Amino acid sequence: MDKLYGANNQDNTQENIILDAARKVFMRKGFDGARMQEIANEAGINKALLHYYFRSKEQLFQNIFRQSFRNLWPTIEPELVREKIDVRLLIKAVISGYVDILEKMPYLPNFVIGEINRDPEKVAGLIKEAAIKPDLLITAIKKAMDDGLIIKMDPREMLIYLIGLCVFPVVTRPLLGQLLYKNSDDYQKFIANRKETLYNFFSRAVGIKN
Amino acid sequence: MDKLYGANNQDNTQENIILDAARKVFMRKGFDGARMQEIANEAGINKALLHYYFRSKEQLFQNIFRQSFRNLWPTIEPELVREKIDVRLLIKAVISGYVDILEKMPYLPNFVIGEINRDPEKVAGLIKEAAIKPDLLITAIKKAMDDGLIIKMDPREMLIYLIGLCVFPVVTRPLLGQLLYKNSDDYQKFIANRKETLYNFFSRAVGIKN
DNA sequence: GTCTATACGGTGATAGAC
DNA sequence: GTCTATCACCGTATAGAC
């Protein structure tokens, strides 16, 4: 399986082949560690072609990063954030969304986190471009608090914890494999059952009565 | 304040000056992004001296990484893990330990996570060297479960969630600042009160009655 | 121990034939 | 559009004077 980095899946145009190769290399190595030569090899072409399609390493990278970053913010179906929304469904949707995307692209959070850390200013612009609006989610959470459905706290903080619980086990996977899950079967089980155990864990934390 | 990277704080021997400089640069840039020239500048010397004290960039890096990695695993006082241990104290100790160390070294998790991702095999050896034993914590958690003090689940999973809740907000700080906390005061408050809100959040999740 | 100068390999990028 | 050959630069590492 080679979709671990999120293949483009569209026409096998040369651009897409290059983008898929670049994504794969950038995600594992980061901007500094990635080599144009390696991307070329991965795409089955030579370096010159990379520069023909994308002027520079920087531009190629930004293509990958923009797209990756958008994937990392929970996109909840608009119907889920309407008037009478069930918080339980909302939480389940966020968890499910993350578990699914992280299964396909486990390197994604590391990549984004790493690059944000490496060059926060460059990334700040890309974030604004992405036009990500957390407000839908935040207000939905706040409403649930006002309605007494969940415990009252800073809704942003609650959202951070929710996302963190989804993402952290994937980010630290190699570490966990070494330290805690010497028997790899157990880690697989943990990951496989995550949607349910995580929801149970989180719903207790925010005081949902089931 | 220049302790954001965890200064050595000992004698101002040349080795320590270099190590402090290297830590600072490596933590922000990672291995690939770090430049020996930059480390030399930071230490107020020239490149050749770096190679005189530490043979190569690789060796200098490993010095930093080993030490950093140990800091990232919760070291709980042995008294806390004896026979009749109060789980609540244990949880509070882990949270407190992480909050304190991350306040001093916010770049630490990013650094370790990034390098683990970049070269898992190299790091695997260093992890074994570190001789970190999660067993104390795990068995303490399991005992609390058996005693009916907290909810039953995979104790490893519970520990991962606890650590994740501590670490994740720091790892994603630049992101959160841009997306959620446009008013920086709020983020500061969030971080300042974290020991308490996080404990409350987590203790509900694991079913502790207070 | 500390410096300057330099060797040496690799990397992003381009020129130019086809 | 795709290739080979090559340039200009930068980064690690070392040699050698002091």
Side-chain angles (χ1 to χ4, degrees):
Chain A
M1 238 321 133
D2 206 26
K3 295 262 182 66
L4 277 184
Y5 307 87
N8 244 328
N9 233 5
Q10 308 164 5
D11 320 290
N12 265 13
T13 161
Q14 191 69 283
E15 272 102 341
N16 282 335
I17 293 175
I18 292 176
L19 282 173
D20 286 342
R23 186 177 308 108
K24 194 168 174 177
V25 176
F26 277 133
M27 284 220 193
R28 264 188 296 115
K29 306 288 185 73
F31 180 82
D32 292 321
R35 297 284 163 252
M36 294 297 267
Q37 183 60 60
E38 196 178 349
I39 296 174
N41 292 343
E42 187 70 39
I45 56 174
N46 56 44
K47 283 191 294 177
L49 264 222
L50 295 182
H51 287 90
Y52 173 78
Y53 282 99
F54 306 84
R55 282 183 53 83
S56 63
K57 182 183 183 183
E58 180 67 33
Q59 282 203 23
L60 183 52
F61 175 79
Q62 293 205 5
N63 262 280
I64 303 299
F65 187 85
R66 248 187 291 267
Q67 181 191 36
S68 301
F69 181 74
R70 264 190 293 266
N71 277 331
L72 210 61
W73 185 256
T75 50
I76 302 305
E77 303 302 320
E79 313 92 55
L80 270 180
V81 203
R82 287 276 164 72
E83 293 288 307
K84 292 238 171 181
I85 168 62
D86 187 343
V87 223
R88 292 172 300 184
L89 289 183
L90 189 69
I91 293 168
K92 276 177 182 164
V94 172
I95 292 175
S96 180
Y98 269 111
V99 169
D100 288 343
I101 200 156
L102 292 179
E103 193 140 351
K104 278 196 307 181
M105 310 169 71
Y107 291 100
L108 183 58
N110 259 315
F111 172 64
V112 172
I113 288 172
E115 294 306 323
I116 282 180
N117 195 253
R118 199 183 55 85
D119 193 341
E121 306 190 0
K122 183 172 78 178
V123 173
L126 297 177
I127 291 180
K128 279 168 195 163
E129 260 183 56
I132 287 174
K133 298 183 199 69
D135 302 354
L136 275 181
L137 270 171
I138 295 293
T139 54
I141 292 175
K142 201 177 317 187
K143 185 162 190 314
M145 289 179 184
D146 292 340
D147 293 348
L149 298 173
I150 55 177
I151 269 181
K152 280 194 205 303
M153 63 184 288
D154 182 343
R156 295 169 295 188
E157 193 171 345
M158 185 179 283
L159 182 58
I160 292 168
Y161 290 152
L162 176 57
I163 296 177
L165 289 168
C166 295
V167 171
F168 192 75
V170 179
V171 168
T172 54
R173 174 179 190 158
L175 232 154
L176 301 179
Q178 289 283 334
L179 283 178
L180 294 178
Y181 293 93
K182 286 147 195 174
N183 174 357
S184 63
D185 275 2
D186 289 2
Y187 183 79
Q188 290 306 326
K189 275 185 215 155
F190 162 35
I191 294 297
N193 299 329
R194 210 153 35 120
K195 281 191 189 180
E196 198 178 334
T197 63
L198 193 48
Y199 174 76
N200 292 333
F201 183 90
F202 188 80
S203 64
R204 284 193 301 270
V206 299
I208 289 181
K209 297 100 186 163
N210 276 313
Chain B
M1 240 319 132
D2 206 24
K3 294 262 181 66
L4 277 185
Y5 306 88
N8 244 329
N9 234 6
Q10 308 165 5
D11 321 291
N12 267 13
T13 162
Q14 191 69 282
E15 271 102 342
N16 282 335
I17 293 176
I18 292 176
L19 282 173
D20 287 342
R23 185 177 308 108
K24 194 168 174 178
V25 175
F26 277 133
M27 285 224 193
R28 264 188 295 117
K29 307 288 186 73
F31 181 82
D32 291 321
R35 297 284 161 252
M36 294 298 264
Q37 183 61 58
E38 196 178 349
I39 296 174
N41 292 344
E42 188 70 39
I45 55 175
N46 58 44
K47 286 189 290 180
L49 266 214
L50 295 181
H51 287 90
Y52 174 79
Y53 282 98
F54 307 84
R55 280 185 55 83
S56 64
K57 183 183 182 182
E58 181 67 35
Q59 283 203 21
L60 183 52
F61 174 80
Q62 292 205 6
N63 262 279
I64 303 298
F65 187 86
R66 248 188 291 267
Q67 182 191 35
S68 300
F69 181 75
R70 263 189 292 267
N71 278 330
L72 210 61
W73 186 256
T75 50
I76 301 306
E77 303 301 321
E79 314 92 54
L80 271 180
V81 202
R82 287 276 164 71
E83 293 289 305
K84 292 240 171 178
I85 168 63
D86 187 342
V87 223
R88 292 173 300 184
L89 288 183
L90 189 68
I91 294 168
K92 276 178 182 165
V94 172
I95 292 176
S96 180
Y98 268 111
V99 170
D100 288 343
I101 200 157
L102 292 178
E103 192 140 354
K104 276 198 305 182
M105 309 170 70
Y107 291 100
L108 183 57
N110 259 313
F111 172 63
V112 172
I113 288 172
E115 295 305 323
I116 282 180
N117 194 252
R118 198 182 56 85
D119 192 343
E121 307 190 0
K122 184 172 78 179
V123 173
L126 296 177
I127 291 180
K128 278 168 195 160
E129 261 183 56
I132 286 175
K133 297 182 198 70
D135 302 354
L136 275 181
L137 270 170
I138 296 292
T139 54
I141 292 174
K142 202 178 319 189
K143 184 160 191 315
M145 289 178 184
D146 292 340
D147 294 350
L149 297 173
I150 55 178
I151 270 181
K152 281 194 205 305
M153 62 183 287
D154 182 343
R156 294 169 296 187
E157 192 171 345
M158 185 180 282
L159 182 58
I160 292 168
Y161 290 152
L162 176 56
I163 296 177
L165 289 169
C166 294
V167 171
F168 191 74
V170 179
V171 168
T172 53
R173 175 180 190 156
L175 233 154
L176 302 179
Q178 290 283 334
L179 283 178
L180 293 179
Y181 293 93
K182 286 148 194 171
N183 173 359
S184 64
D185 274 3
D186 289 2
Y187 182 80
Q188 289 307 325
K189 275 184 213 156
F190 162 35
I191 293 298
N193 299 329
R194 210 154 35 122
K195 280 191 188 180
E196 198 178 334
T197 64
L198 193 47
Y199 175 76
N200 291 333
F201 183 91
F202 187 80
S203 65
R204 282 194 301 269
V206 299
I208 289 181
K209 298 100 185 163
N210 277 311

